[in-house]
Each structure stands twice: as C-alpha cells, then as structure tokens.
C-alpha cells in the first residue's frame, strides 16, 4: 500500500483536495474531521473501528468496511498515512490479515486547515467593532508615552505595536465582511422577509452607534497618528519592534531578518495611517466606510418599503394587465369584450366637442356610417386654441398690462439695504492686520454670521500638523488667514444672542473688494495689539487681565 505522497506532488496537483469532488465526498469530510478531532485530543493513530465510532450515527455507513475503503482512498490521495497494525495480533491468521492504523499527513492537515478557513470566511457576517476603535486609541497613546522616553523599552514597544496592528486588522477585516453581508441583506439574498423586518430596527441602531463612534474616535486616531509622525517617532519605534522580532534569528540571518521585519512593520503602519488619515486626492478608508454605512440606512428603509408594498398586495401594471387578460378570457361574447376594451382603454366617442344645429342638420341629411374609416370621413374643423388648451379663445378686450414699477422699486430698496448691511459687516470684520481672536470685540448678528462662514472656510482646510491656513469666502469678497497659538488661551466673541468660545487664534481678515487704503482707516474695531515675534512665549494682555 502506498504511504504518504511527496510534498512536491501534493503542491503540483493538489491531490489532498481530490476528496471534495468525488462521490461520497460527505463521508470523506466526516472521516477527516474525525482525525482533526482526535488530533486535538493528542491521539495520533486511529483504527477503522475508532473512525467508525467517531462518525455521526445518522450518516455513518452500515459497516466498518465502507470506512476502511474510504481510509484507503484518502491514503492514496495523500491525506492520510497507513502503517501496519500489529498491536492486536493474537493468532497467525491475524498476522497475515490486512490491518492498518492511520494518521494525518502534513498535506492532509494543511488541506483541512485551508477548508476550515474557507468555511469560516464564507460564513462570517462580520461586525463593526467600536471597541476596537477605543483599543486603537489606547495603544496609540501608549506609543506616545513610550516614544517620549529617552530610551524606549523594546519589549513595551513591540507589545504595543503588536496589539495595535492586531486590533486594526480585526477592525478592517470585520468591517469589510460586515459591509459585504449587509449588502447581501439589502439585496434579500440570504434572509427571510419576517427575519429582515425584525432585524431592521436593531441593524439601523447598530449602524448609527458605530457611525457616531467612527466620527469621534476616527478623528482622534488621525490626530494621534499625525502627532507621532510629526514628532518623527514612528521610524525608531518600528526599528525597535523589528529588532525585537528578529532577536532569535541566527547570526548570519540576523541583519536580513531585521530588515524584512522592519519592512513588514512599516507596511502595517502605512496601512493603519491610510485607513484613518486622508491624503492628497484620496479619502481615507474610515471616511469611505462611514459614507457606505450612512448610505446603507436609506437603502434598508427602501427595502422595508418594498417589502411592505409586497405584503399589502399593492398592484402594479403587469398585475393589472394579467387581471385584464383574465377578464377578457371570462367574457361571455365579443360584444362584452369590445365593451370591456372601450372601458379599459378609453376608446369611446369624443364627447367634449361642441355640435351646433347646422352640423346636426347636415349630418341628418347625409349621415356618416359608423364603419367609415377616419381617413375617408369628412374632416371636423377644430380651433387650434381648443386643440391646444381644451377651450376656445377668450373673447373680449385684452387684459390690462400690470404696472410692476412699485414692486421693482421695493425690490431695489431691499437689495440696496442688504448690500449696505453686507458692506458694513465686511468693514466690521476687516482687521487691518493680524490680531488676536479674543480682541475682535462684540459682533452684531449679520457680522457674526459672516464671521462664522469665514471661520468655517478656514477650518475646512485644516489638517493635522497645520499651524496657518488661508481661505477665501465663497463670493470671493473676503480673505481670512488663521494661525494657531500654542499657549492654550481661550477666545470669547460676544453677540446679542450669546457668547462664542473657542481656542484663541491669530486672525487677519482682508476685504478683497476694497482698494488698499480706502477703508483701512474707517474700520470700527479696536486697534490691533502688537504681535510678538515667532517663538515668543506670551502675548501682551490688558492691565485688567494681568
């Protein structure tokens, strides 16, 4: 009997997978699962009787001989190895009788591991792991603490990076599997209608909760990644982890093993950064996932609406035509069918036309037979106005032309007033140079709205590591330059509706519609305080604040 096949042959023709495509494939799968279960119990060899007893009672063969034939087939394909069994020999006849014990080969074990992975991936529905986002934030903060040390601990660095990459890999894989299963759920391929309706509310709540966590924690993760990269701490940490991983390599392979490990860690970090941080002309995977999850909610609601329509028996055009065809088939005679045709499709005489006495007299003198084709019948003169609008021309004097001069004058006054208010708001916001946001003073509602739009345009271009940004208003009339401060101060802008608070910044607002020097002297804002040179620790404060 043939023993274990060579690894080269197994890799060439994948013989250990042959038992999946032959008759009795379910029996072969059960036999291989019995060997895997025995391996977990540290049982190396199994006899045919042991395999027969391990099979499911509802699907096992009638006798052991069928199992023995299956074992021999699996030996021939390389999944199992057969060795002579002399342990239970008591007579000469038993010695010459064909008896073997079987065990898994490396090829057979590898084939079953591949099939187990296939079944797991195929049956995985995935999940959106909000807990993984918290774990990633925790590990990134731990890396910041480790990187701040004079001599970072290689063991702590390796453990933190390992946990970080493991949690990130789980998050990405499960999110991808979940969105795939969610699309199958939306397409109604693998879920029953009643189960979907009961599952819908919980699924939408689940999506909304994850989206909220992804927005808050995803932004925090992006900031932590940007902080590590800005401090140039990522490379040294990755080298420490690579050296730790390659510590057990042989001396002649140590350098190469460390280089390979560093490339692997660098690729993992690059994948993590690309997943959470958007680049030039490229959206991050977290943002794409958020958009896909948000888009799936209205799709789910549309599916629910479609299911409700189906359950309520809502009719559509095809169903109407099938019902009409059944009515035609059930009609007693042709006259009833013609009457049904006229009622269903509106092919009845036109009754909206006006017929005068002369027309009636003319038709009485020379009647038109009903069988006369339309093309051969006498024409019927219809007014173009009647054909176009369904009514005759209006008789009488034409309508008077409305005088809209007063309305135009009011509109012009409103437009002029709005233009003047906008001009005053622009003049109020123009700083005439860099000033602190906290010194902007109190703003009226219109000026405050314009200020919020300018501030939103400036913050829209803010990225991790940015200190200064420049933006132009949507109409191109104003420009704002915003510079961040590192002193932790807070600014307050007072309005009649309340107080606007936030981190203090250095702002410079310019009116692009005014020529240089035309309006600089008429700006009704307090004079800008002197701005310290770059690198200064403090900004001047009024005496009452000191």
């Amino acid at each position: 009997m043939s023993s274990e096949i060579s690894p080269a042959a197994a890799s060439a023709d994948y013989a250990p997978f042959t038992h999946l495509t032959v008759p009795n494939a379910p029996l072969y799968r059960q036999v291989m699962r019995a060997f895997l279960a025995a391996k977990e119990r540290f049982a190396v060899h199994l006899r045919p009787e042991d395999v027969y007893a391990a099979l499911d009672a509802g699907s096992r063969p009638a006798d052991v001989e069928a199992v023995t034939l299956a074992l021999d087939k699996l030996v021939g394909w390389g999944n199992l190895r057969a060795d002579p069994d002399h342990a239970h020999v008591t007579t000469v006849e038993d010695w010459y009788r064909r008896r073997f014990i079987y065990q898994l080969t490396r090829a057979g074990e590898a084939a079953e591991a591949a099939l187990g992975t296939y079944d797991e991936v195929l049956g995985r529905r995935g999940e959106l792991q909000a807990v993984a986002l918290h774990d990633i934030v925790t590990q990134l903060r731990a890396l910041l603490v480790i990187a701040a040390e004079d001599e970072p601990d290689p063991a702590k660095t390796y453990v933190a990076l390992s946990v970080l990459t493991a949690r990130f890999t789980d998050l990405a894989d499960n999110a991808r599997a979940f969105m795939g299963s969610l699309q199958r759920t939306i397409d109604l391929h693998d879920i029953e209608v009643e189960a979907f309706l009961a599952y819908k509310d919980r699924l939408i709540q689940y999506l909304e909760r994850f989206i909220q966590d992804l927005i808050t924690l995803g932004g925090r993760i992006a900031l932590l990644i940007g902080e590590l990269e800005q401090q140039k701490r990522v490379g040294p940490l990755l080298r420490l982890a690579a050296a730790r991983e390659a510590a057990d390599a042989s001396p002649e392979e140590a350098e190469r093993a460390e280089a390979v490990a560093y490339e692997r860690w660098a690729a993992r970090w690059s994948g993590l950064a690309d997943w959470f941080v958007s680049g030039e002309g490229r959206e991050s995977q977290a943002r794409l996932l958020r958009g896909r999850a948000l888009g799936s909610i209205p799709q789910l609601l549309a599916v629910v609406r479609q299911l409700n329509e189906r359950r309520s028996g809502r009719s559509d055009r095809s169903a109407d035509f099938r019902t009409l065809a059944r009515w035609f088939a059930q009609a007693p005679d042709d006259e009833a069918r013609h009457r049904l045709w006229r009622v269903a499709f509106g092919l009845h005489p036109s009754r909206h036309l006006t017929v005068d006495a002369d027309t009636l007299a003319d038709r009485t003198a020379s009647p038109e037979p009903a069988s006369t084709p339309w093309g051969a019948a006498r024409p019927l003169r219809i007014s173009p106005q009647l054909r176009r609008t369904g009514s005759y021309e209006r008789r009488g004097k034409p309508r008077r032309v409305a005088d809209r001069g007063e309305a135009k004058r009011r509109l012009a006054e409103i437009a002029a007033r709005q233009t003047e208010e906008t001009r005053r708001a622009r003049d109020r916001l123009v700083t005439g140079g860099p000033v602190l946001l906290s010194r902007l003073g109190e703003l009226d509602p219109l000026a405050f709205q314009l200020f919020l739009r300018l501030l939103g345009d400036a913050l829209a271009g803010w990225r991790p590591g940015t200190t200064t940004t420049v933006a132009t208003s949507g109409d191109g009339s104003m420009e704002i330059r915003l510079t961040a401060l590192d002193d932790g101060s807070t600014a307050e802008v007072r309005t009649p509706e309340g107080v606007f608070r936030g981190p203090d910044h250095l702002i410079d607002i310019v009116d692009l519609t005014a020529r240089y020097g035309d309006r600089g002297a008429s700006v009704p804002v307090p004079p800008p305080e002197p701005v310290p040179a770059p690198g200064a620790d403090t900004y001047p404060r009024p005496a009452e604040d000191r």
Side-chain angles (χ1 to χ4, degrees), residues 384-400:
Q385 181 71 12
L386 175 64
R387 184 170 60 247
R388 184 171 59 254
T389 65
S391 61
Y392 286 106
E393 299 91 337
R394 179 182 177 87
R395 300 185 180 276
K397 295 188 299 182
R399 294 180 178 179
R400 297 180 59 184

Side-chain angles (χ1 to χ4, degrees), residues 135-136 139-140 143 157-173 238 241 245 264-272:
D135 294 343
I136 292 173
Q139 296 305 319
L140 287 173
L143 286 176
T157 303
Y158 180 79
V159 170
L161 285 173
S162 298
V163 175
L164 176 64
T165 54
R167 296 302 286 154
F168 167 67
T169 302
D170 291 342
L171 172 68
D173 292 344
L238 298 181
E245 184 175 339
R264 184 163 55 248
W265 280 110
R268 294 170 182 172
W269 180 266
S270 177
L272 173 67

Side-chain angles (χ1 to χ4, degrees), residues 29 53 68 77 97 101 139 147 162 231 261 266 318 382 402 418-419 456 518 528 530 536:
R29 290 300 308 274
T68 304
W77 293 322
R97 185 179 299 139
I101 56 175
Q139 296 305 319
S162 298
Q231 297 176 2
S318 59
I382 301 176
Q418 291 177 347
T419 301
D518 287 350

